[in-house]
Amino acid sequence: MALLEPSKYSQGSVLGSVNPDLASERQTASFSVEELTVWLDGSEEHTQKRRAVVEAIESDPVFSRENQYFQSQNERYEAAVRKAVHLQKKMHEMGWTESGPEFKYIYRAVSGDIAFLLHRVFIRSISVLGSDKQIAKWIPLATQHKLIGSYAQTELGHGTYLQGLETTAVFDITTQEFILNTPKISAMKWWPGDMGRSATHTVVFAQLYINGKCYGVHPFIVQIRSLRDHSLCPGITAGDIGPKMNFENVDNGYLMLQNVRIPRENMLNKFCEVQPDGTYVRQGSQKINYFTMTTVRISLISDEVIIPLMKACTIAIRYSVVRRQSKLKPGEQEAKILDYQTQQEKLLPQLAAAYAFHFINDYLQELFNRGYSEIQKKNFNTLPELHAFSSGFKAMVTQYSTSAVQICLQACGGHGYSSLSGLPSLYTRIIASCIYEGENTILLLQTARFLIKCFRAASAGQPVPPSVTYLAAVKPGKCPAKNKLEFLSPDIYTEAYQHMAARLVRSTAAKLQDLIQSGVKKHDAWNQCTVQLAQAAKAHCHYITVKNFAETVEKLKTEAGIQKIMKHLCDLFALHGIFSNAGVFLHDGYVSGAQMDMITASYLDLLAVIRKDAVPLVDAFDFTDKSLNSALGSYDGQVYQRLYEWAQKSPTNKQISPAYERYLKPLLHNTQSKL
Amino acid sequence: MALLEPSKYSQGSVLGSVNPDLASERQTASFSVEELTVWLDGSEEHTQKRRAVVEAIESDPVFSRENQYFQSQNERYEAAVRKAVHLQKKMHEMGWTESGPEFKYIYRAVSGDIAFLLHRVFIRSISVLGSDKQIAKWIPLATQHKLIGSYAQTELGHGTYLQGLETTAVFDITTQEFILNTPKISAMKWWPGDMGRSATHTVVFAQLYINGKCYGVHPFIVQIRSLRDHSLCPGITAGDIGPKMNFENVDNGYLMLQNVRIPRENMLNKFCEVQPDGTYVRQGSQKINYFTMTTVRISLISDEVIIPLMKACTIAIRYSVVRRQSKLKPGEQEAKILDYQTQQEKLLPQLAAAYAFHFINDYLQELFNRGYSEIQKKNFNTLPELHAFSSGFKAMVTQYSTSAVQICLQACGGHGYSSLSGLPSLYTRIIASCIYEGENTILLLQTARFLIKCFRAASAGQPVPPSVTYLAAVKPGKCPAKNKLEFLSPDIYTEAYQHMAARLVRSTAAKLQDLIQSGVKKHDAWNQCTVQLAQAAKAHCHYITVKNFAETVEKLKTEAGIQKIMKHLCDLFALHGIFSNAGVFLHDGYVSGAQMDMITASYLDLLAVIRKDAVPLVDAFDFTDKSLNSALGSYDGQVYQRLYEWAQKSPTNKQISPAYERYLKPLLHNTQSKL
């Protein structure tokens, strides 16, 4: 028993030298970590660019997140504004531009801890919804930061249901202006980012009225603060909505409008216009007004969901080979907790999901790019599929990943609960993705509506998008696999998912039909099926994710080392999904109880296989220590030392609490009656 | 379109007058809310006492939690100490005592937002583990607050696996002292509450060494801070571990010991003693040293899990009848969101679970009281069952309730994510219950070990506790129900749960046996079965919870109004569990696919039935507005008004951020190069 030498612990001597328990994990990788990183990035050039951006940002002390876990909401906001402003300077210095190849790495490099994110949505909404003239006027002002923009859609009383927004914009033909108002408290804009304290302008969504007739929700550019001294403009009441579960860096705000007048030109009018005489002209679908949300929904999947999930996996898996607890065999050293089957079963499916979602994101990006180029040509045919897919996958991926991060947090025990692990902030942030840009259940039901429509169309022999032809093609049957190894065949499990998704869509469509035929009104019938409709939509997205993962692996044939481990991950993702949702596969006998036992056996076998590569698989995500900002997840695995050193910096250790003199001392000295 | 009158919104004129959408829900209750409240409390006298305590606490401004969501960790700690000290005064004033009938309501009344909680564990551990002499010496000092105690068990490197603790206590026969040391960084005590800044004493768990021989972990009373000036005692290093996901009110701490000497009398020695000559004497099981954890585990279920779950249900359900969103039928008013099947399916099963867990808590309390009276007579026979049950139910109830609170939070959309809803803090607090007092997976495996043992014993005809005789008695078979109504029979669904739990225990026991017979070493075989063992343990606890709920309802025959709604909740809890875990019921054909459709139909039907009583069912929990501390959940349902008013009090609205002058202005005025 050596005596404690505290001096050793405070000098940080061991930090940087890799914990042998972590080092050993890296010596046995079955593939090249660097090759996998490059493949994930898309090319060596991408990897280099990404690393250059991260290095430039992280070496600049202005972007430090070192004290983030100790800061108040006010301090976080101030730091976020400082970073956002400094970023402009940095970009200029480095020669980075918004349209350049480095730009997509910046958000990752600052870990989202920055202000003016809604400023970008402001810009995007004008680019998508504005006329050429409006773009020419506003985009330069915005990109040169002569104004700070926001995006004011959500109200106290209305979120995802946009048609219900209550803010009004009345066209005044005499002055050629719109008069904006917040007619009741629930109409107050509530939640828009950058609006509480920063923004000078915002895009307000309001019900358009012309001559007393309502034309529905439209977007209007409104100035809310003076460009001279930042005071609120006449008729504007605005402020911060206060503390939230996370996003302290963002000044989510509220906004009330009282007879705020804006010129006719401030209605974004690429697709809809009010002419000087009050004539309303629409070009194309009104749904295009919500298109900004579709684009945001897709872009958030990578930035706000997959990257945080990858970080959580990195932290939890590295910690799980450093943490030793209890003994697998009596007399031996305590075991690494990742050697326990239960720990593997917690973490490795989440790791597989992180890869699965990385690939589905590529799939969605491609789908989106194809659709967007059509929309720019004013061809709106792809909008329904694009909307259905962006909705369903946003819901499925955010919900799955939120659970996954929660599992990672809990898998690290008490230390995962410490803010210093980085996991609480990853969790409290990712859970918001289930809510913003469309509440998940409502999104799933929109996807379900599309699926039911396509199923009916396909059954009637009408054409449907290729991604959903399977709905009417799948026939009753039984899974042909005869032993546990056959369940490692992508054909076998992809077909099982396809069968299951088609069955859920079909049986729910039948229930809907039955209810309507039995006299239930259409809308009641729909409501009575929504639990099952949401389940069917999720099943469809799960199926497409498995299928896309399998196809991605298939294409990897030339890179044998990586393909092998990706195949294992694909198998794990698929079998985990069957194991965890056994009921929907067993229900009609497509999979038998005996086959479910084979699936379970294969699934559990895979855990032990992938466990060997677990650390290399998270190393390949290539997060720096600064980016993880975690005492548990650093590359060197010196978790206990780092927890101890970081705790020293806490404000709770920086002062003797006044609580002693005021309350504790009188209590202990029994003089409290004097209080 | 009336113009906005902001003055109306800032005067709070509508607060207190009940929102008609909430008021109407209370007019159609199928039972007496007051009667249900009394029944939940146990008697009218209990209800009166509880209300008196709550009233006394809430009317005292010292206990206010009004600004809680705006406070820093330092402010929260200081407030918690102030409240804890003031509580002593209050108790004296009110004539409340620790052993009096009011005491159990105090924690509820202060919503756990108080310091010195570990002081109570310190007292309890001495009461349980200390000799009469030690009790006589320390308990008066502690109860009179001449010292502040803590409980130092967990270390940086070891949590639930107590045998692995690394702190050492070496007996020095020459001075009749124990010498305590922290031999390495991972041995540092880490997490104990009240230890970072408050405690003067603590019970340290350390490996006892006598003459170089290790006798395992024992508890020692150690003074860590001066009673005179609160400075750290010689050889002590201690501080706060920094920010966590919640529990800002608690100063979770770290502690290092360097040659700290304490007298021989400071080892708690009711069950084990070191005699002056170094002879080690044990009376009874060493496991009794961990008994404090068993008692804490049971008591936390009510205070830290069920009450927060009830609060979350209250907030989410009240909000869901105030929030109107989208239309169920075209042309109608927007619908209350609780009228959507998907919202019902989110919230009502959680409400049913809150009731189910309230009743299982009564069951556990009774089991515990019986066991504890035996232990006091030094009869340790009931320890294994008590340990297995406290472990399994702690794991099952905390995990279920954590998910439930998360569902409540997400079901409130964006406003649920605002701290002002109260839901984020309920969530970030309840999730800790999955980790502290034993990590859930490890606890489930301890329960599983007990179940496997009992299954083998019962199969061999040996006696086992009545709660587990079913394990060997259940035979293969099929569920006899023929239509959806028959699934509302408690006999039918309780038997389905019993069958399922027994099957999981049996099949896992068989797998374990097979592996061992095929030559796999016992410990490896165990590890390879742990995923399924944990599942089996959860299934057992789920079964007992359903059975206990059904029996509780059965006993209610004399109170028809309450029995009817409780029966619905019991049915819902049971059928929701089958619907959500369909795989384990379908697996061996006990329930067929067609029967699962009947179960689903009955389950969905129940939602619409219980929805009518949803608000009365949460009103019956009888939380005051101050106790809920939620802008969404108040009795009057004025959610938008309250969100707006509370946001005004946020520190983010109390100052003009320096960020404007420093960063925003130079940016907007294009003078940032001067930065």
Side-chain angles (χ1 to χ4, degrees):
Chain A
M1 286 167 288
L3 285 186
L4 177 80
E5 300 164 49
S7 61
K8 190 176 152 194
Y9 303 136
S10 47
Q11 286 168 3
S13 56
V14 301
L15 295 192
S17 76
V18 178
N19 184 318
D21 279 338
L22 188 46
S24 66
E25 298 281 337
R26 294 181 171 127
Q27 282 155 11
T28 53
S30 76
F31 59 91
S32 155
V33 169
E34 179 68 13
E35 268 175 40
L36 179 52
T37 300
V38 167
W39 182 64
L40 289 173
D41 279 326
S43 75
E44 213 158 310
E45 197 194 333
H46 283 129
T47 301
Q48 281 169 9
K49 280 229 157 57
R50 178 176 55 71
R51 286 181 180 158
V53 170
V54 169
E55 167 61 21
I57 297 279
E58 291 187 351
S59 63
D60 186 330
V62 174
F63 295 109
S64 167
R65 294 191 297 136
E66 200 187 326
N67 293 313
Q68 181 174 307
Y69 302 131
F70 307 132
Q71 289 175 330
S72 71
Q73 196 181 354
N74 273 330
E75 288 164 337
R76 287 289 303 280
Y77 166 70
E78 192 181 328
V81 172
R82 182 178 70 235
K83 290 179 188 184
V85 171
H86 189 68
L87 181 61
Q88 299 310 313
K89 208 173 147 187
K90 192 89 192 171
M91 286 180 66
H92 185 73
E93 259 175 45
M94 303 295 295
W96 302 336
T97 62
E98 300 250 341
S99 53
E102 294 88 358
F103 193 75
K104 65 173 169 175
Y105 302 122
I106 292 176
Y107 191 79
R108 170 171 168 149
V110 298
S111 292
D113 187 38
I114 196 159
F116 309 161
L117 297 175
L118 271 285
H119 182 67
R120 297 204 59 222
V121 179
F122 175 84
I123 291 173
R124 201 183 315 189
S125 65
I126 294 174
S127 309
V128 173
L129 305 175
S131 64
D132 292 345
K133 203 171 152 192
Q134 289 172 323
I135 290 173
K137 174 177 176 182
W138 293 101
I139 300 299
L141 290 172
T143 52
Q144 292 162 38
H145 288 93
K146 292 187 176 162
L147 59 81
I148 307 286
S150 171
Y151 182 82
Q153 181 178 291
T154 301
E155 296 174 356
L156 254 178
H158 285 90
T160 308
Y161 180 64
L162 299 183
Q163 293 103 298
L165 293 177
E166 297 175 303
T167 303
T168 57
V170 177
F171 184 58
D172 180 350
I173 198 164
T174 59
T175 62
Q176 293 287 302
E177 290 172 318
F178 296 105
I179 310 168
L180 280 88
N181 270 296
T182 301
K184 52 206 282 209
I185 188 161
S186 56
M188 199 187 300
K189 295 294 177 186
W190 195 270
W191 277 110
D194 294 337
M195 199 172 76
R197 312 170 85 173
S198 301
T200 61
H201 290 67
T202 187
V203 172
V204 171
F205 282 77
Q207 301 286 355
L208 168 66
Y209 283 82
I210 310 171
N211 292 324
K213 185 181 164 193
C214 183
Y215 288 82
V217 173
H218 288 73
F220 303 84
I221 299 179
V222 179
Q223 180 170 357
I224 60 173
R225 288 188 178 87
S226 155
L227 287 170
R228 190 178 48 79
D229 65 2
H230 218 238
S231 60
L232 291 169
C233 293
I236 300 289
T237 307
D240 186 275
I241 65 163
K244 302 142 292 185
M245 211 170 172
N246 195 316
F247 288 94
E248 295 93 342
N249 54 311
V250 179
D251 55 321
N252 297 93
Y254 61 83
L255 172 71
M256 287 190 278
L257 303 145
Q258 276 183 283
N259 293 322
V260 173
R261 288 177 168 266
I262 57 169
R264 189 177 63 89
E265 293 72 29
N266 279 21
M267 183 173 109
L268 291 175
N269 60 12
K270 180 168 188 179
F271 301 101
C272 312
E273 196 181 5
V274 178
Q275 294 179 340
D277 65 352
T279 307
Y280 177 82
V281 182
R282 172 173 299 159
Q283 305 187 343
S285 163
Q286 196 189 356
K287 293 215 166 116
I288 195 67
N289 280 334
Y290 315 140
F291 187 68
T292 312
M293 273 184 79
T294 304
T295 79
V296 174
R297 234 168 247 158
I298 288 178
S299 70
L300 79 88
I301 289 178
S302 165
D303 292 343
E304 293 292 348
V305 184
I306 298 171
I307 288 180
L309 172 58
M310 288 174 167
K311 284 185 180 178
C313 288
T314 305
I315 295 167
I317 286 175
R318 286 183 181 164
Y319 175 67
S320 295
V321 299
V322 166
R323 179 76 167 182
R324 288 179 175 273
Q325 201 78 176
S326 195
K327 296 178 184 183
L328 268 170
K329 287 168 205 168
E332 280 196 355
Q333 190 186 7
E334 288 185 51
K336 294 176 173 183
I337 58 175
L338 196 59
D339 288 328
Y340 292 97
Q341 189 191 49
T342 47
Q343 188 77 355
Q344 293 166 10
E345 209 262 333
K346 286 176 194 175
L347 296 179
L348 302 183
Q350 318 317 326
L351 177 63
Y355 277 91
F357 296 155
H358 178 84
F359 303 133
I360 203 69
N361 182 53
D362 290 346
Y363 171 90
L364 289 172
Q365 285 296 344
E366 209 186 297
L367 195 76
F368 173 77
N369 291 341
R370 258 184 290 138
Y372 187 51
S373 68
E374 289 302 309
I375 285 164
Q376 286 185 308
K377 297 176 211 152
K378 301 209 175 171
N379 167 10
F380 302 110
N381 290 342
T382 60
L383 257 183
E385 190 191 5
L386 209 53
H387 180 71
F389 271 64
S390 79
S391 300
F393 280 101
K394 184 273 188 186
M396 194 273 261
V397 174
T398 56
Q399 193 65 52
Y400 200 118
S401 302
T402 298
S403 299
V405 173
Q406 180 182 359
I407 291 167
C408 290
L409 187 152
Q410 288 189 248
C412 294
H415 296 327
Y417 191 76
S418 163
S419 303
L420 307 180
S421 75
L423 291 165
S425 58
L426 287 171
Y427 178 78
T428 53
R429 188 167 173 130
I430 201 170
I431 192 179
S433 69
C434 297
I435 299 164
Y436 59 60
E437 304 306 330
E439 195 276 330
N440 278 353
T441 305
I442 299 171
L443 294 183
L444 285 173
L445 292 177
Q446 293 179 358
T447 307
R449 202 177 279 278
F450 173 78
L451 293 174
I452 296 283
K453 224 183 250 177
C454 291
F455 166 69
R456 286 179 181 157
S459 303
Q462 291 156 14
V464 293
S467 58
V468 288
T469 47
Y470 80 94
L471 288 173
V474 169
K475 299 282 166 259
K478 298 214 179 282
C479 173
K482 289 188 189 59
N483 58 56
K484 70 174 182 176
L485 290 179
E486 287 183 33
F487 279 101
L488 301 178
S489 153
D491 288 346
I492 291 288
Y493 56 68
T494 305
E495 211 169 295
Y497 272 93
Q498 187 185 66
H499 177 90
M500 178 273 299
R503 181 181 65 76
L504 288 173
V505 172
R506 209 170 48 228
S507 69
T508 314
K511 178 180 170 187
L512 199 55
Q513 199 60 28
D514 287 352
L515 283 170
I516 292 168
Q517 277 173 358
S518 75
V520 179
K521 291 215 179 100
K522 219 170 159 185
H523 296 89
D524 284 332
W526 178 263
N527 190 25
Q528 287 173 37
C529 292
T530 45
V531 166
Q532 286 148 304
L533 285 164
Q535 196 183 22
K538 236 184 288 181
H540 166 74
C541 295
H542 207 155
Y543 156 55
I544 300 288
T545 307
V546 167
K547 182 165 167 271
N548 180 65
F549 200 157
E551 287 168 358
T552 305
V553 170
E554 180 63 21
K555 282 184 217 138
L556 258 171
K557 278 203 169 130
T558 52
E559 295 165 80
I562 292 177
Q563 197 204 25
K564 201 172 161 200
I565 186 69
M566 287 298 121
K567 166 73 168 60
H568 289 321
L569 285 173
C570 180
D571 295 347
L572 184 71
F573 180 75
L575 298 190
H576 169 74
I578 302 179
F579 176 75
S580 316
N581 302 284
V584 287
F585 293 91
L586 290 165
H587 187 282
D588 65 344
Y590 183 81
V591 169
S592 69
Q595 285 175 317
M596 194 55 73
D597 289 339
M598 297 171 199
I599 290 167
T600 304
S602 262
Y603 166 57
L604 296 175
D605 287 350
L606 274 170
L607 295 175
V609 172
I610 295 170
R611 183 259 169 270
K612 292 180 197 135
D613 278 321
V615 168
L617 281 167
V618 297
D619 282 354
F621 296 146
D622 204 25
F623 291 112
T624 61
D625 283 357
K626 282 182 180 169
S627 158
L628 293 171
N629 206 15
S630 165
L632 301 190
S634 289
Y635 190 82
D636 68 8
Q638 299 292 359
V639 300
Y640 300 134
Q641 184 66 33
R642 201 167 262 109
L643 272 174
Y644 178 56
E645 289 186 22
W646 287 15
Q648 307 303 308
K649 300 178 195 163
S650 168
T652 51
N653 287 319
K654 285 287 161 66
Q655 58 167 61
I656 292 180
S657 172
Y660 175 67
E661 284 292 333
R662 280 189 206 152
Y663 313 113
L664 270 174
K665 191 175 166 186
L667 178 73
L668 288 165
H669 292 192
N670 198 16
T671 53
Q672 61 170 319
S673 52
K674 292 174 199 161
L675 281 180
Chain B
M1 287 167 288
L3 285 185
L4 176 81
E5 299 163 50
S7 61
K8 190 177 152 194
Y9 303 137
S10 48
Q11 286 168 3
S13 56
V14 303
L15 294 193
S17 76
V18 178
N19 185 319
D21 280 338
L22 188 46
S24 65
E25 299 281 338
R26 295 183 171 125
Q27 282 155 10
T28 53
S30 76
F31 59 92
S32 153
V33 169
E34 180 68 13
E35 269 176 41
L36 179 52
T37 301
V38 166
W39 182 64
L40 288 173
D41 279 325
S43 74
E44 214 158 309
E45 196 195 335
H46 283 128
T47 301
Q48 281 170 8
K49 278 229 158 57
R50 179 175 55 71
R51 286 180 181 158
V53 170
V54 169
E55 168 60 21
I57 297 278
E58 290 187 351
S59 62
D60 187 329
V62 174
F63 294 109
S64 166
R65 293 190 297 136
E66 201 187 326
N67 293 313
Q68 181 174 308
Y69 302 131
F70 306 131
Q71 289 175 328
S72 70
Q73 195 181 355
N74 273 331
E75 288 164 337
R76 289 288 303 280
Y77 165 70
E78 193 180 328
V81 172
R82 183 178 70 233
K83 290 179 189 183
V85 171
H86 188 68
L87 181 60
Q88 298 310 313
K89 208 173 146 186
K90 193 90 192 169
M91 287 179 65
H92 185 74
E93 261 174 43
M94 302 296 295
W96 302 336
T97 62
E98 302 249 341
S99 53
E102 294 88 359
F103 194 75
K104 65 174 169 174
Y105 301 122
I106 292 176
Y107 191 79
R108 170 172 168 149
V110 298
S111 292
D113 187 38
I114 196 158
F116 309 161
L117 298 175
L118 270 287
H119 182 66
R120 296 204 59 222
V121 178
F122 175 84
I123 291 173
R124 201 182 315 190
S125 65
I126 295 174
S127 308
V128 173
L129 305 176
S131 65
D132 292 345
K133 203 171 152 192
Q134 288 171 323
I135 291 173
K137 173 177 176 182
W138 292 101
I139 300 299
L141 289 173
T143 52
Q144 292 162 37
H145 288 93
K146 292 189 175 161
L147 58 81
I148 308 286
S150 172
Y151 182 82
Q153 181 179 290
T154 300
E155 297 174 355
L156 254 178
H158 286 89
T160 307
Y161 180 64
L162 299 182
Q163 295 102 300
L165 294 177
E166 296 175 303
T167 303
T168 57
V170 177
F171 184 57
D172 181 349
I173 197 165
T174 59
T175 61
Q176 293 287 301
E177 291 172 317
F178 294 105
I179 311 167
L180 280 89
N181 269 297
T182 301
K184 52 207 282 210
I185 188 162
S186 57
M188 198 186 302
K189 294 293 175 187
W190 195 270
W191 277 110
D194 295 335
M195 200 172 74
R197 312 170 84 173
S198 299
T200 60
H201 290 67
T202 188
V203 172
V204 171
F205 283 76
Q207 301 284 357
L208 168 64
Y209 284 83
I210 309 171
N211 292 325
K213 185 180 165 193
C214 182
Y215 288 81
V217 173
H218 288 73
F220 302 85
I221 299 178
V222 180
Q223 180 171 356
I224 60 172
R225 287 188 178 88
S226 154
L227 288 170
R228 191 177 47 78
D229 64 2
H230 218 238
S231 61
L232 292 170
C233 294
I236 300 290
T237 308
D240 186 276
I241 65 163
K244 302 141 293 185
M245 212 169 172
N246 196 315
F247 287 94
E248 295 93 342
N249 55 311
V250 179
D251 55 321
N252 297 91
Y254 61 81
L255 173 70
M256 288 190 279
L257 303 145
Q258 275 181 283
N259 293 321
V260 173
R261 288 177 168 266
I262 57 168
R264 190 177 63 89
E265 293 73 29
N266 279 22
M267 184 173 109
L268 291 175
N269 61 12
K270 180 168 187 178
F271 300 102
C272 313
E273 196 181 5
V274 179
Q275 294 179 340
D277 64 352
T279 306
Y280 178 80
V281 182
R282 172 174 300 160
Q283 305 188 342
S285 163
Q286 196 189 355
K287 294 218 166 114
I288 195 68
N289 280 335
Y290 314 139
F291 187 68
T292 311
M293 273 185 80
T294 303
T295 79
V296 174
R297 234 168 247 158
I298 289 179
S299 69
L300 78 88
I301 289 178
S302 165
D303 293 343
E304 294 291 349
V305 184
I306 299 171
I307 287 179
L309 172 58
M310 288 174 167
K311 285 185 179 178
C313 288
T314 305
I315 295 167
I317 286 175
R318 286 183 181 164
Y319 175 67
S320 296
V321 299
V322 167
R323 179 76 167 182
R324 288 180 175 271
Q325 201 78 176
S326 196
K327 296 178 184 183
L328 266 171
K329 287 168 204 169
E332 281 195 355
Q333 190 186 8
E334 290 186 50
K336 294 176 173 184
I337 57 176
L338 196 58
D339 288 328
Y340 293 97
Q341 189 191 49
T342 46
Q343 188 77 355
Q344 293 166 10
E345 209 260 334
K346 286 176 193 174
L347 296 179
L348 301 183
Q350 318 318 324
L351 176 63
Y355 278 91
F357 296 156
H358 178 84
F359 303 133
I360 203 68
N361 183 53
D362 290 346
Y363 170 90
L364 288 172
Q365 286 296 344
E366 208 188 298
L367 195 76
F368 173 76
N369 291 341
R370 258 185 290 138
Y372 187 52
S373 68
E374 289 302 309
I375 285 163
Q376 286 185 309
K377 298 177 213 152
K378 301 212 174 170
N379 168 10
F380 301 110
N381 290 342
T382 59
L383 257 183
E385 191 191 4
L386 209 53
H387 180 72
F389 271 63
S390 78
S391 300
F393 279 101
K394 184 273 188 185
M396 195 274 260
V397 174
T398 56
Q399 192 65 52
Y400 200 119
S401 303
T402 297
S403 299
V405 173
Q406 181 182 358
I407 290 167
C408 290
L409 186 152
Q410 288 189 248
C412 293
H415 296 327
Y417 191 76
S418 162
S419 303
L420 307 179
S421 75
L423 291 165
S425 57
L426 287 171
Y427 177 77
T428 52
R429 188 166 172 131
I430 202 171
I431 193 180
S433 70
C434 297
I435 300 165
Y436 59 60
E437 304 306 330
E439 196 275 330
N440 278 353
T441 305
I442 299 170
L443 294 183
L444 285 173
L445 292 177
Q446 293 179 358
T447 307
R449 201 177 281 278
F450 173 78
L451 293 174
I452 296 283
K453 225 182 250 176
C454 290
F455 166 69
R456 286 179 182 156
S459 303
Q462 290 157 14
V464 294
S467 58
V468 290
T469 46
Y470 80 95
L471 288 172
V474 168
K475 299 281 165 260
K478 298 216 178 280
C479 173
K482 288 186 190 62
N483 59 55
K484 71 174 182 177
L485 290 179
E486 286 183 34
F487 278 102
L488 301 178
S489 154
D491 287 346
I492 291 288
Y493 56 67
T494 305
E495 210 169 296
Y497 273 92
Q498 187 186 65
H499 177 90
M500 178 272 299
R503 181 180 65 77
L504 288 174
V505 171
R506 209 169 50 226
S507 70
T508 315
K511 178 179 169 187
L512 199 56
Q513 199 59 29
D514 288 352
L515 283 169
I516 292 168
Q517 276 173 358
S518 74
V520 179
K521 291 214 180 100
K522 221 170 158 184
H523 295 89
D524 284 331
W526 178 263
N527 190 25
Q528 287 173 36
C529 292
T530 45
V531 166
Q532 287 148 305
L533 285 164
Q535 196 183 23
K538 237 184 287 180
H540 166 75
C541 294
H542 207 155
Y543 157 56
I544 300 288
T545 307
V546 167
K547 182 163 166 273
N548 180 66
F549 199 156
E551 287 169 358
T552 305
V553 170
E554 181 63 22
K555 282 184 218 141
L556 258 170
K557 278 204 170 132
T558 52
E559 295 165 81
I562 293 177
Q563 197 204 23
K564 199 173 162 200
I565 187 70
M566 287 299 121
K567 167 73 168 58
H568 289 321
L569 285 173
C570 180
D571 294 348
L572 184 71
F573 180 76
L575 299 190
H576 169 74
I578 302 179
F579 176 75
S580 315
N581 302 283
V584 287
F585 292 90
L586 289 164
H587 187 283
D588 65 344
Y590 183 82
V591 168
S592 69
Q595 285 176 316
M596 194 55 75
D597 290 339
M598 299 171 199
I599 289 167
T600 305
S602 263
Y603 166 57
L604 297 176
D605 287 350
L606 274 170
L607 295 175
V609 173
I610 295 171
R611 182 259 169 270
K612 293 179 198 138
D613 279 320
V615 168
L617 281 167
V618 298
D619 281 354
F621 296 146
D622 203 26
F623 292 111
T624 61
D625 284 356
K626 283 183 180 168
S627 158
L628 293 172
N629 205 15
S630 164
L632 302 190
S634 291
Y635 190 82
D636 68 8
Q638 299 292 359
V639 301
Y640 300 134
Q641 184 66 33
R642 201 167 261 108
L643 272 173
Y644 178 57
E645 289 186 21
W646 287 15
Q648 308 304 307
K649 301 177 195 162
S650 168
T652 51
N653 287 320
K654 285 286 161 68
Q655 57 167 61
I656 292 179
S657 173
Y660 176 66
E661 284 292 332
R662 280 188 206 152
Y663 313 114
L664 269 174
K665 190 174 168 186
L667 177 74
L668 289 165
H669 292 192
N670 198 16
T671 54
Q672 60 169 322
S673 53
K674 291 174 198 161
L675 281 180

